[in-house]
Amino acid sequence: MNHLRPLDNPADIDYKEEVAQLENKAYVESDPRLAGLADELAWAHGLSEEELAAESKKLLRKVDWRLMPTLFILIVLNYLDRNALAAARVQGIEADLGMTGNDFNVAISVLFVGYILGQIPSNYILSRSRPSLYLSFWVVVWGAVSTCTAAARNFSSLVVIRFFLGFCEAPYFPGALFLLSSWYNKKELAFRMAFLWSGSLLSGAFSGFISAGIQAGMQGTLGLSAWRWMFIIEGAVTIVFGAAAVFVLPDYPSTTRWLTPRERALAVYRLQADAGEADEEQIGFFRALKLAVSDYKLWLLALIQVTKTTAAAVTQFIPTVVNTFGMSKVNTLLLTAPPYLFAAILAFFISYSSDRKPERAFHLAIPIMVAAVGNVVAATTTTIAARYTALFLLLGGIYGSFNVCNAWTSSMFARPRAKRAMAYATINSISNMAQVWTPYMYDSKYSPQYTIAFSVNVVMCCIAVCTTFLVRWILARANRKMDKDEAEGADQEGFVKKIRYTL
């Protein structure tokens, strides 16, 4: 791993070798795009701060307009397909398939078995392939698998379909996070992740509106239940958008075809200057995995995420909880939407503030405390007004801060690229292990109180907050050590300034 040379003395830099640090070295001789990039890096190194800011603004505008709307739409579809089963429960899927006892909980949890298994190998493959092709391919495949849910005739067939749906969805979310971290620096990342994450939240709102509309207008059409039409329609839309994404998504900064060589050089240089080092040569799967899992910070971040995900598992059962209000199917589905809309708006405000500071720990911990309060309210009352308010607090607190933790991951595992990919996939895999067992906390026998589930969520929120402040203390200590080392080594020739952790 090579640190950047001093940025104010670009005269003798071998820019072709610098490009070789970013991509497979064989590309540099054979790919004319990289040859052009090497020529333009000298220009990027010579920019003043004002010129860099102006050029970056133009570049980000061009990338944002293609990357962000595409990732947003795809994650909406990702969570629509994944969480459609929650709405289908209200629409009568259990009766149609003869499901009893814990069958519904098994169908929820089995998806995450496939989801967990696929993430780590997928993100490594993504780090060595073209994201525009790789991610789009899996979007089309999961859309096809989700559509097949409409053909389920019994519980066994539903479980098989759900397992493969989880496996096929595994590449997208950790892959999207990794792709964002390959384009944006620390001050830009959390807000973009919030935009992406808001898609997952809005999918909960859209799911309520869509399923309510299908329930009201298509129940019995062509002899099919409303829940079957829901899977057919949502799956077909996913396939169409996945196929279109191939032509819109970027690849990596140095190889994206619809950027000019100068724009690619600027994109590469910005991330180098932000991280303090190049985005690395290609490294093997096991070395990348070892680099990630041997860093103790990964396990602390994973603990934060797995406790948050445990508390967030209530989203699989929002329609079930709202159904305890005793309203009609259509009204129950409609009432699931507002808490998600609130969480999406809150996520934007939290992430914007986190990027502007920049600060992570308090922007992560304070919303989780709010979520804990929401869970306490939900556990102690079944009054409609109080419990519905609790849904706003717990969804807003948990999901409003998820992207802050994801942005923190990027800054802690900035380079090399494959290590960052493994970190995202490993943390996301560990966190989603909670989704395998948490459905059983919402067994119908605990209705309408669900005291055990909401009490466990409170404990998980407390652990997440404590771990967050532990990570902050560790990073602050590391920053102080870097300050001391640089003060003692300031006169050493060739000394390279290390980039500080964001607290």
Side-chain angles (χ1 to χ4, degrees):
M1 198 183 304
N2 296 304
H3 287 282
L4 283 176
R5 301 162 180 82
L7 299 184
D8 57 353
N9 184 27
D12 299 320
I13 298 176
D14 184 349
Y15 294 104
K16 199 169 189 179
E17 179 61 24
E18 192 161 333
V19 174
Q21 296 172 12
L22 305 173
E23 303 290 346
N24 188 315
K25 295 193 177 189
Y27 286 1
V28 179
E29 299 298 332
S30 61
D31 192 328
R33 291 174 297 155
L34 293 186
L37 176 64
D39 295 337
E40 294 291 350
L41 273 171
W43 164 80
H45 273 268
L47 291 174
S48 67
E49 288 188 11
E50 293 77 12
E51 291 170 333
L52 179 61
E55 293 293 335
S56 294
K57 186 176 181 180
K58 291 188 290 185
L59 172 67
L60 289 178
R61 187 183 302 117
K62 185 172 183 178
V63 174
D64 280 342
W65 275 108
R66 296 187 65 148
L67 177 59
M68 298 311 304
T70 306
L71 292 182
F72 176 86
I73 291 171
L74 295 182
I75 200 168
V76 168
L77 297 171
N78 181 267
Y79 275 77
L80 277 176
D81 291 338
R82 181 189 307 182
N83 295 333
L85 193 61
R89 188 181 201 182
V90 177
Q91 294 173 319
I93 189 174
E94 290 177 294
D96 288 352
L97 300 187
M99 297 166 64
T100 59
N102 283 326
D103 286 354
F104 181 81
N105 299 323
V106 172
I108 290 289
S109 64
V110 73
L111 178 142
F112 292 97
V113 176
Y115 189 69
I116 292 165
L117 292 175
Q119 289 190 44
I120 294 176
S122 175
N123 249 28
Y124 177 73
I125 295 171
L126 175 61
S127 73
R128 301 175 66 90
S129 61
R130 289 183 56 191
S132 60
L133 296 177
Y134 185 77
L135 293 179
S136 300
F137 168 79
W138 284 109
V139 173
V140 172
V141 173
W142 100 53
V145 174
S146 182
T147 303
C148 292
T149 310
R153 295 301 170 189
N154 51 48
F155 170 65
S156 298
S157 60
L158 177 64
V159 167
V160 172
I161 293 169
R162 292 282 294 178
F163 172 82
F164 284 105
L165 178 61
F167 187 83
C168 295
E169 285 193 349
Y172 182 69
F173 184 64
L177 294 178
F178 173 63
L179 183 58
L180 287 176
S181 71
S182 300
W183 281 95
Y184 299 105
N185 64 36
K186 288 191 289 289
K187 292 185 178 181
E188 302 158 352
L189 192 56
F191 186 74
R192 267 77 177 186
M193 286 185 172
F195 186 83
L196 174 68
W197 190 245
S198 69
S200 70
L201 298 172
L202 291 176
S203 72
F206 295 153
S207 178
F209 294 136
I210 292 169
S211 54
I214 293 173
Q215 177 68 37
M218 299 193 70
Q219 173 65 26
T221 301
L222 299 180
L224 297 180
S225 301
W227 67 266
R228 295 188 190 274
W229 279 114
M230 181 176 62
F231 284 108
I232 291 170
I233 293 170
E234 292 179 0
V237 171
T238 299
I239 292 171
V240 171
F241 277 95
V246 175
F247 305 100
V248 183
L249 282 176
D251 293 315
Y252 294 114
S254 57
T255 55
T256 294
R257 298 168 184 264
W258 41 264
L259 292 178
T260 66
R262 177 156 290 189
E263 289 170 334
R264 292 198 296 271
L266 178 63
V268 168
Y269 172 74
R270 281 172 13 91
L271 293 181
Q272 284 181 294
D274 184 58
E277 52 194 88
D279 209 3
E280 55 89 14
E281 74 283 0
Q282 297 285 2
I283 61 177
F285 174 84
F286 290 106
R287 182 187 169 202
L289 184 60
K290 181 180 179 181
L291 284 173
V293 301
S294 61
D295 190 330
Y296 69 92
K297 296 190 295 295
L298 178 143
W299 300 103
L300 292 173
L301 288 173
L303 179 58
I304 295 172
Q305 289 287 58
V306 75
T307 51
K308 281 167 59 66
T309 303
T310 300
V314 70
T315 56
Q316 296 284 350
F317 298 89
I318 290 292
T320 301
V321 174
V322 175
N323 202 34
T324 64
F325 297 170
M327 299 182 181
S328 68
K329 289 183 179 180
V330 172
N331 287 337
T332 294
L333 292 168
L334 288 174
L335 282 173
T336 63
Y340 285 102
L341 293 173
F342 173 74
I345 294 170
L346 190 62
F348 274 112
F349 281 108
I350 293 172
S351 300
Y352 179 76
S353 175
S354 178
D355 274 350
R356 291 280 291 179
K357 294 292 182 183
E359 196 280 334
R360 303 301 187 212
F362 286 98
H363 286 83
L364 179 58
I366 293 174
I368 299 175
M369 295 177 191
V370 173
V373 173
N375 279 285
V376 170
V377 174
T380 55
T381 181
T382 56
T383 304
I384 292 178
R387 179 160 276 197
Y388 196 53
T389 301
L391 292 181
F392 283 83
L393 295 176
L394 64 91
L395 282 181
I398 288 293
Y399 283 103
S401 60
F402 248 114
N403 46 278
V404 175
C405 192
N406 288 326
W408 218 6
T409 301
S410 178
S411 65
M412 286 189 226
F413 300 90
R415 301 292 183 267
R417 175 192 294 171
K419 178 185 177 182
R420 189 170 72 253
M422 291 294 98
Y424 270 122
T426 303
I427 291 172
N428 208 47
S429 295
I430 293 171
S431 69
N432 278 285
M433 288 179 183
Q435 304 275 19
V436 175
W437 61 269
T438 49
Y440 302 98
M441 297 194 305
Y442 297 89
D443 192 290
S444 57
K445 67 184 179 183
Y446 300 127
S447 177
Q449 197 77 27
Y450 296 107
T451 304
I452 294 176
F454 292 122
S455 299
V456 169
N457 292 347
V458 173
V459 174
M460 292 297 117
C461 288
C462 292
I463 294 173
V465 170
C466 293
T467 308
T468 296
F469 286 120
L470 173 61
V471 172
R472 188 184 190 279
W473 178 78
I474 290 170
L475 297 184
R477 186 179 63 173
N479 286 347
R480 289 194 297 270
K481 185 176 186 303
M482 283 188 276
D483 290 338
K484 180 180 178 182
D485 290 345
E486 289 184 5
E488 294 174 351
D491 296 329
Q492 296 178 12
E493 184 178 354
F495 184 81
V496 178
K497 183 178 179 65
K498 294 181 180 179
I499 303 300
R500 299 298 182 269
Y501 291 113
T502 303
L503 302 181

